[in-house]
Amino acid sequence: MSEFEPKIVGFFCNWCTFTAADLAGTSRLSYPHNIKIIRMMCSGMVDPKYVIKAFLNGADGVLIGGCWPGDCHYINGNLKARRRVAMLTEILKEYGIDEKRFWLRWIAASEGTMLREVVSEMTAKLKALGPSPLNREAPGKEKK
Amino acid sequence: MSERIGFYICHCGINIAYRVRVAEVAAYASTFPGVVVARDYLFMCSDPGQELIESDVKKYDLTRVVVASCSPRMHEKTFRSACQRAGLNPYHAFHMVCVREHGSWVTENEDDATEKARIIVRAGLKRVSFQNALIPSQFSVNSNSLIVGGGIAGMQAAIDIASAGFKAYLVEKAPTVGGHMLQYDKAFPTLDCTACIGTPKMVAVGQDKNIELKSYCEVEHVSGFVGNFKVTINNKARYIKTNCTGCGDCAKVCPVDFPNEWDVNTKMRKAVYLSFPQAVPVRYVIDKRTTAPCRTSCPAGTNVQGYVQMVKIGNYQQALNIIMERLPLPGVLGRVCPHPCETDCRRALVDSAVSIRDLKRFAADHARLEDVPLPEVEEIDKKIAVIGSGPVGLTVAYYLRRKGFKVCIFESMEKPGGMLRTGIPDYRLPPAILDQEIGHILSTGVTIKTGMALGRDFTLASLKDQGFDAIFLGIGAHVPVKMNIENEDADGVVDAVPFLRKENLEKAGSAKKRVVIIGGGNVAMDAARVAVRSGAQSVSVVYRRTEQEMPADHEEIEGAKEEGINFITLVGPKKVVTENGRVIGIECIKNKLGPVDAGGRRRPVPIEGSEYVIACDMIIPAIGQSVETEPVLKDTHFDLTARGTFKVDPFTMQTSEPGVFAAGDAVTGPATVVEAIAGGHKVVKAIERYLNHEMDLFDKERKQQEENTKPDEKNFVPIPEDAALVARAKSVFIEPVTRKSSFEEVDMGLSEASAQSDAGKCLNCGGCCECKLCVDACKAKAIDHDIKDEREIIDVGSIIIATGFDLLDPTPMTQYGYGKYANVFTNLEFERLSNATGPTLGKLLKRDLKDRMKFTEPPKSVAILHCIGSRDINYHEYCSRTCCMYALKYAHLLKDKCGHGTMVYNFYIDMRCFGKGYEEFYKKVQSEGVRMIRGKVGSITEATNGMLTVVAEDTLSCRMLEIEVDMAILCTAMEPRSNAQDVMRKFGIGIGADGFFQEEHPKLAPVSTPSSGVFLAGACQGPKDIPDTVAQAKGAAAECMALSAKGIVEVPPMISYIDPDVCVGCQVCIVLCPYSAIEFDYFNAISVVNSAVCKGCGSCAGHCPSGAAKVRHFTDQQIFAEIDGLLLN
């Protein structure tokens, strides 16, 4: 049986983390393929229902990437994201989604290396954690 | 309607195709519902690639197009245009999937990369069908440009924009434009004089009518968007008006010296200064900082720094004039003030506080009161009655008189002065001084009626009848506070206030043999020391806490001890022991210190059973005084405080009776002279406003104070690191043996030499000392010390950031001894030495070993160290690009100016001489006999004679070298400005990993930023030399001119909208919107987005509880489709 490959959805701010992903590419910094990126204009525009939808569709992890506090292109959208994430984490826990599956990270446009580190770390941790309870396709998944 | 989708995947040469099996992805896409054509192509962004899309749209009647290639940040625009040309609305039809930056380039394995590409393509194909047609809005462009930074980049950009006929605002935070380039001496490789090629640019920006030069200004806030920015600029107060002729008369009289920043502290300048002779604008500036702590801690707000400086330069009359601005009794305060100013003096951080009080006395003793100028004012026909001639009464009288009011003082005693006369002993304050200063106050036209007691000889009502327009109550606190112990009224118990009054006025010699003083304040000390002088044989001070908690001044306690006074602490009085009604002793109880009380001192707790008796003949309680209010209350009702003092409004100092004001001890209870004077000043302001019917001004100030709760950031002059330790000046005191039997003044004051040297210790924390000598010296009348910072808002269409760089401070690299060894210089210091306007007028000289500001003789040997902080993983990994070349220039200049025999060693890692004429210059300098050594210097050490030993490895000959030199120059790295983060946030641009501002694309968009309409020029984007800087500045100017010339800008249509059918009007979005772009439509009870203001951040959409708020192009359906595509087959 093949090794479990977690499915990670990344909601990345266009101005920082998305650009950092571009930079990681131009710098040829390879990282796990598990992350698939959706471009957002700001981390503050990530509606909680997008995260919930991703988990419902079987994502093993969700990563929101925003600008460092104070650096938001739209003044303070990242801080709104932070508040939302704090709340949503609690709600997800109630539904059995471990908080280790839902990450918010500040990654500036120049931090391509940091993007690689975050994605690598998240992938490794999710592999250790195993598939999400809502991931119906994962190999070797035990039905409870 | 069924969608017809075209799918294209790019090989990008092999960039994508080497990892992603593009044909396989295209084949997969062709099976996707709705896809009618799926192709892979070598270069989709090429013309044939775009034509392929255009022809397919027509041929297959495509409704949607998905391209999988590089990042949308790269070519989204390209393909949108192709779709538009094919007749499709690009926002409706086109979506781009990134399989290069996010795919082939970051995935190691071909299978993984292909699978990832397949999945994200699937997401894109699902998304595209939900996209809607959007039309970008167009806005006009304001043709003005803003340029931030007046270095060579900013100046060049401004000149270019102005020459195209557009207006440029050039904002520079320093008082002059010019920047680093004008600090340098020559410019490599041509060795032109930088001043010769730079000053014409400076003059041009100063004179061009299309350039508005804003020097000494800073951008505070930026709002708006490309073509339509609103910029708030702070015009920092220069205190010199535009009619300044630059003659420099002000600087000649200025007493305050600081190191000149322009000369990187190799030379001094005055507090009023011009950075360098060719500065533009030729307009002086006064360096004012946060008001000095001595001045703010003075309750009366005396300009301490000002008079200390005047003592320093020996202008004692001006010192006295400055003191008299706030203190009407300079000699009195020079003797008795408890000097809170000295407590806050920052000089104490070096050695000891400046002896401020003694300097005040020195000024008062050495200048004439008659020569203090009085303001020229017109007589005002308003009469004010001042009741009481203590310090507060005299203050109110003197300063109201100075404003032209008619003032009459009523004093109950025979002689004026209040507590100054009756309470303070003569050995501290000789009556002659008091008489002289009161005499001066009266000489200004204040009338006085002595022997007139309120309640006995006149009443408040009678004063009003006499036509007084305002009344001031300054009756002090003269009633002793009782101890409330047994036998307190026995014969031999005399309170301190009547005791001191009697001794001061009559020299009655009324002290008994053995005297006990109760209390630990200044009054207790006065009573004890007066008792010694009035015949007592033994005097003891009994205090209930320890000496540490005593409120008396330290000097007074010490003085008392020297005079043989016995201190009995941690003891409280319990009962007066009498025999036949006469005092024979006092029973006391011992205390220990308990917990801290509300006043912050530890409370004394009596120890049970520890009572004992101290035998004595006389007890002088000095535990406080209260206000005698009965004579006042007889005819008018006043509100009193719980302590029995007059209740006043803290702003207006007005009592409950309109038109009657009070201050001093009568309001505060017993306090110091300077606090009384502080209250007096508030009364002066209040009475003036009262009589001018302007009392409402206080309400405004009250409101301002309430709103202004955050403390200002302190911006004092930094403490010089090389400040020498100077012992505190000490006054001469009469020997205790002599002084015990006399009321002669104990303190003889400072000598002139020690006064001047102590005044020289002042650090001038506040910058300018506001002595105002410059105001008199300026013939053009251009100086105004009351100018304030002014904010203005300008409208511009484009912005150029040209804020330049900082030089690395090599102090932390202790191996090079910079700052410690006299002759280790930084590159900029060396430039200033070489520059004709620098400290040596262009001579290259060694520094004096003892005095950093002095330069002696030319060096015979010099080491030049390259790459200090550049190409160094401990500091900056990047190359600063200019050091090799200017190091060669230094070598040439040394040979040129100090003689061919001068040994010059260049320690380099690699020589990088890459520009036009650079390599040739390298060859030329080598031929001049300069030694080039490949190897980085490990350390520099200094011998006692100042010779430096430079240790390095010559990596070409593999030998260790130790070379002795006279001078070493560190070629320090160019660094991002220390405030780069602030600038980044203000303008919404980005910072790269090296800390410099990040351009939009390193090759194809080197002057653009992610913020449309904001451009970069010069070294703020990365280290560069003058030619590159000028070229980039011209590029940035061209970008601005392109915007201005076109006059129209398209703004992306991805902004928010609120579905009116869904919105429930909860208004949460209104609070969330960072741009206040959402308004509430009260008629329809829904929120509405103002599309001209919205920037599309989606704060509203991310939160909207009903889902009414959406961002166009990022709708729920579109994102859901993308998520589905990523996760579901």
Side-chain angles (χ1 to χ4, degrees), chain A residues 94-113:
Chain A
E94 293 299 310
Y95 288 88
I97 306 290
D98 197 309
E99 60 190 310
K100 291 182 202 121
R101 298 188 183 280
F102 180 33
W103 293 27
L104 170 69
R105 289 292 181 276
W106 310 137
I107 302 173
S110 58
E111 295 176 323
T113 45

Side-chain angles (χ1 to χ4, degrees), chain B residues 479-483 488 493-500 516-528 540-544 551-552 573 586 619-625 670:
Chain B
V479 184
V481 170
K482 293 278 179 193
M483 293 189 288
E488 198 171 341
V493 181
V494 183
D495 193 84
V497 174
F499 172 73
L500 287 170
V516 167
I517 317 282
I518 313 289
N522 278 330
V523 176
M525 295 306 119
D526 285 348
S540 301
V541 172
V542 167
Y543 181 56
R544 56 196 184 136
I586 183 157
I619 298 169
I620 305 180
I623 57 167
Q625 297 108 257

Side-chain angles (χ1 to χ4, degrees), chain B residues 22 154 203 408 668 742 811 881 1009:
Chain B
V22 287
V203 173
C408 182
T668 58
S742 145
T811 316
R881 286 178 91 236
T1009 68

